[in-house]
């Protein structure tokens, strides 16, 4: 037998910047990035794609972006800033992929130019996908505008859209070239979106960092009351934990394990079962409650620990039960979760607050009992 052996690795590096008023002409952060990556004799193009929800909250945003880039000679803004609808609908509408790929083509965005997405996790996931498939990968810069996208989805390496309502069925691993987290955007989020991203911080604290969990307990009141400084700390710490995990583990998820998806097997299904009426972060809060109770029922968590988790989520204002959990539909989420990763079913549970541990099977009857418990204790009277 004759074998040619091939092996190489590709190094990815990117910075996540934390700032305020990114498009203020006095803020050099974004321009400095392009100056640093400037190629003499060639002006790279920038194609901006904006989330309609962000523009609604910041109507002067397009004008500010134009003004920000008006007096410099490093990069060229393409003539249009493209505004697309935000929210999960952006990932459920395949015509948007076409529309954005068409813009890449029309404006001649090549592999040395940039696509910049300003928006929530949904718009970022869609734009990241479009950037990844156009010309086999265009550089993309993420400017996340929600709590969830600043502390989790926007700082990671994944993108994707839904296919026939199946979450993230189409997508790729494609790290951004830079992420700019601007805390001023968070001020215009509605209460649901302000809150929903906090569940990713609860998640990562539960599996990795009991000190951060304690901080969340102490600051739950401030977070629920929209204290900006508390939220800035949360976003920074949560982003840091996600980045550390990605770099130290299995960034492109070659194995079957996905620890950062604690509480997610049921959450993804619940989002779909409710026609995406329940936000991702809200579904994750319920998923965390379910898998924490399940861990308690296995004898892994103490009663006191599970109470702390449920009480924190309640204090943050999350509902911990949804009628769509009724019946067995949510259990299909287990099989779909396994299929998405491939290989062996691998679900993260909790050994204690701050320590996760994986299992390879779940007892469906125990899951049903956990759902019944949540229904009895959490269901809102109709
Ligand atoms: N790629 C990943 O690794 C990863 C990780 C976690 C979650 N996600 C995905 O992220 C998505 C959820 O993202 P999300 O929670 O950011 O919500 P979202 O993107 O769906 O946005 C929610 C709503 O907020 C609006 N909005 C965004 N920014 C705003 C602002 N600054 N002011 C006012 N309104 C604003 C949007 O227009 C939308 O209506 C889900 O699809 C989830 O699956 C991806
Ligand atoms: Zn998530």
């Amino acid at each position: 037998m004759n074998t040619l052996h091939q092996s190489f690795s590709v190094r990815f590096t990117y910075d996540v910047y934390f700032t305020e008023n990114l498009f203020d002409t006095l803020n050099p952060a974004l321009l400095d990035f392009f100056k640093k990556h400037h190629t003499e004799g060639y002006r790279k193009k920038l194609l901006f794609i904006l989330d309609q929800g962000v523009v609604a909250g910041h109507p002067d945003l397009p004008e500010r972006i134009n003004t920000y880039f008006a007096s410099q000679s490093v990069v060229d803004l393409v003539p249009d800033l493209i505004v697309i609808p935000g929210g999960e609908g952006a990932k459920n509408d395949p015509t948007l992929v076409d529309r954005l790929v068409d813009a890449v083509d029309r404006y001649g965005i090549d592999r040395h130019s940039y696509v910049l997405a300003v928006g929530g996790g949904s718009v970022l996931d869609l734009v990241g996908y479009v950037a990844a498939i156009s010309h086999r990968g265009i550089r993309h810069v993420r400017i996340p505008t929600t709590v969830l996208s600043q502390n989790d989805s926007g700082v990671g390496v994944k993108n994707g859209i839904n296919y026939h309502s199946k979450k993230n069925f189409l997508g790729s691993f494609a790290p951004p070239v830079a992420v700019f987290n601007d805390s001023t955007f968070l001020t215009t989020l509605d209460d649901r979106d302000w809150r929903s991203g906090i569940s990713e911080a609860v998640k990562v604290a539960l599996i990795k960092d009991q000190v951060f969990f304690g901080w969340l307990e102490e600051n739950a009141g401030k977070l629920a009351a929209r204290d900006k400084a508390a939220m800035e700390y949360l976003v920074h710490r949560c982003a840091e934990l996600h980045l550390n995990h990605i770099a130290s583990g299995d960034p492109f998820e070659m194995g079957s394990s996905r620890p950062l998806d604690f509480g997610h097997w049921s959450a993804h299904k619940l989002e779909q079962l409710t026609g995406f009426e329940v936000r991702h972060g809200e579904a994750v809060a319920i998923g965390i409650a379910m898998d924490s109770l399940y861990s308690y029922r296995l004898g892994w968590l103490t009663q006191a620990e599970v109470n702390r988790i449920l009480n924190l989520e309640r204090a943050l204002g999350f509902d911990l039960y949804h009628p769509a959990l009724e019946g067995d539909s949510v259990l299909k989420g287990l099989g779909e979760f396994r299929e998405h990763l491939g290989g062996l079913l691998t679900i993260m549970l909790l050994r204690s607050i701050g320590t996760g541990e994986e299992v390879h099977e779940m007892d469906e009857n125990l899951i049903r009992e956990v759902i019944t418990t949540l229904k009895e204790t959490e269901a809102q009277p109709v």
Side-chain angles (χ1 to χ4, degrees):
M1 193 169 66
N2 189 339
T3 309
L4 291 172
H5 182 60
Q6 167 76 301
S7 167
F8 59 82
S9 51
V10 181
R11 185 168 180 78
F12 289 96
T13 53
Y14 57 94
D15 290 324
V16 179
Y17 302 89
F18 294 84
T19 186
E20 281 189 329
N21 299 311
L22 184 65
F23 296 109
D24 188 321
T25 46
L26 297 175
N27 185 338
L30 193 54
L31 206 49
D32 281 353
F33 172 81
F34 292 115
K35 282 183 184 155
K36 199 171 138 196
H37 295 89
H38 181 56
T39 311
E40 220 29 66
Y42 173 66
R43 281 162 74 132
K44 298 175 182 178
K45 292 184 195 168
L46 308 189
L47 171 66
F48 267 91
I49 296 159
L50 314 179
D51 182 322
Q52 172 68 58
V54 184
V55 177
H58 306 262
D60 60 347
L61 180 64
E63 192 189 318
R64 286 170 77 94
I65 294 176
N66 280 317
T67 309
Y68 186 83
F69 288 102
S71 49
Q72 52 80 40
S73 52
V74 183
V75 282
D76 280 335
L77 271 192
V78 305
D80 287 328
L81 302 172
I82 298 177
V83 181
I84 58 167
E88 195 69 32
K91 290 173 64 171
N92 281 323
D93 177 0
T95 66
L96 281 176
V97 175
D98 240 45
R99 192 177 145 198
L100 297 182
V101 171
D102 184 64
V104 168
D105 180 24
R106 197 153 25 96
Y107 293 118
I109 303 298
D110 65 24
R111 300 184 68 246
H112 292 262
S113 298
Y114 298 90
V115 175
L116 296 94
V118 185
S122 300
V123 164
L124 262 47
D125 271 5
L126 164 67
V127 175
Y129 177 62
V130 166
I133 60 174
S134 302
H135 296 303
R136 299 202 176 105
I138 297 171
R139 295 164 194 209
H140 77 290
V141 172
R142 299 203 195 121
I143 303 173
T145 58
T146 59
V147 171
L148 186 136
S149 55
Q150 292 195 359
N151 73 14
D152 179 347
S153 82
V155 305
V157 298
K158 296 191 275 186
N159 60 57
I161 59 169
N162 307 332
Y163 179 69
H164 296 172
S165 290
K166 283 196 174 167
K167 285 281 292 186
N168 307 324
F169 196 92
L170 300 174
S172 74
F173 294 90
V177 292
V179 182
F180 292 86
N181 273 344
D182 176 349
S183 60
T184 15
F185 281 121
L186 305 182
T187 55
T188 54
L189 290 171
D190 70 22
D191 284 345
R192 281 182 73 182
D193 288 308
W194 171 276
R195 181 186 306 112
S196 74
I198 301 175
S199 61
E200 302 284 9
V202 175
K203 167 204 79 179
V204 76
L206 281 170
I207 57 171
K208 285 186 178 289
D209 186 347
Q210 59 161 319
V211 175
F212 186 38
F213 186 84
W215 182 91
L216 289 166
E217 287 181 305
E218 274 164 37
N219 290 276
K222 282 188 181 171
L223 291 164
R226 299 191 66 136
D227 181 290
K228 190 158 174 276
M231 187 56 96
E232 282 172 17
Y233 176 81
L234 177 145
V235 165
H236 191 277
R237 180 65 186 141
C238 184
E240 185 176 36
L241 286 163
H242 276 95
L243 286 168
N244 290 346
H245 176 86
I246 291 166
S248 67
D250 177 16
F252 290 177
E253 295 172 3
M254 307 301 269
S256 302
S257 154
R258 207 161 63 176
L260 290 176
D261 271 357
F262 169 59
H264 277 58
W265 72 264
S266 54
H268 284 160
K269 192 67 194 171
L270 190 59
E271 287 180 78
Q272 186 200 41
L273 288 172
T274 61
F276 299 97
E277 195 283 315
V278 171
R279 301 272 207 275
H280 177 73
E282 292 169 340
V284 169
I286 293 174
I288 290 172
M290 282 175 62
D291 288 354
S292 300
L293 273 167
Y294 187 97
S295 304
Y296 164 64
R297 294 293 304 269
L298 286 183
W300 288 15
L301 288 182
T302 64
Q303 173 91 63
E305 283 174 315
V306 76
N307 285 346
R308 279 177 69 190
I309 298 168
L310 300 184
N311 284 337
L312 171 60
E313 294 204 302
R314 291 179 190 122
L316 290 165
F318 285 110
D319 288 334
L320 301 185
Y321 178 77
H322 191 286
L325 293 175
E326 200 94 38
D328 273 356
S329 301
V330 76
L331 293 175
K332 292 202 187 87
L334 271 180
E336 289 171 13
F337 191 75
R338 190 210 61 77
E339 204 175 302
H340 191 58
L341 269 92
L344 201 60
L345 175 72
T346 306
I347 301 284
M348 178 61 89
L349 295 175
L350 296 177
R351 266 288 169 194
S352 66
I353 287 177
T355 316
E357 188 171 316
E358 289 176 334
V359 293
H360 297 293
E361 56 187 348
M362 295 276 279
D363 177 339
E364 295 197 348
N365 282 327
L366 202 50
I367 298 172
R368 289 188 189 97
E369 285 173 34
V370 158
I371 291 172
T372 305
T373 304
L374 284 174
K375 184 179 178 188
E376 284 166 7
T377 56
E378 312 293 329
Q380 307 289 328
V382 245

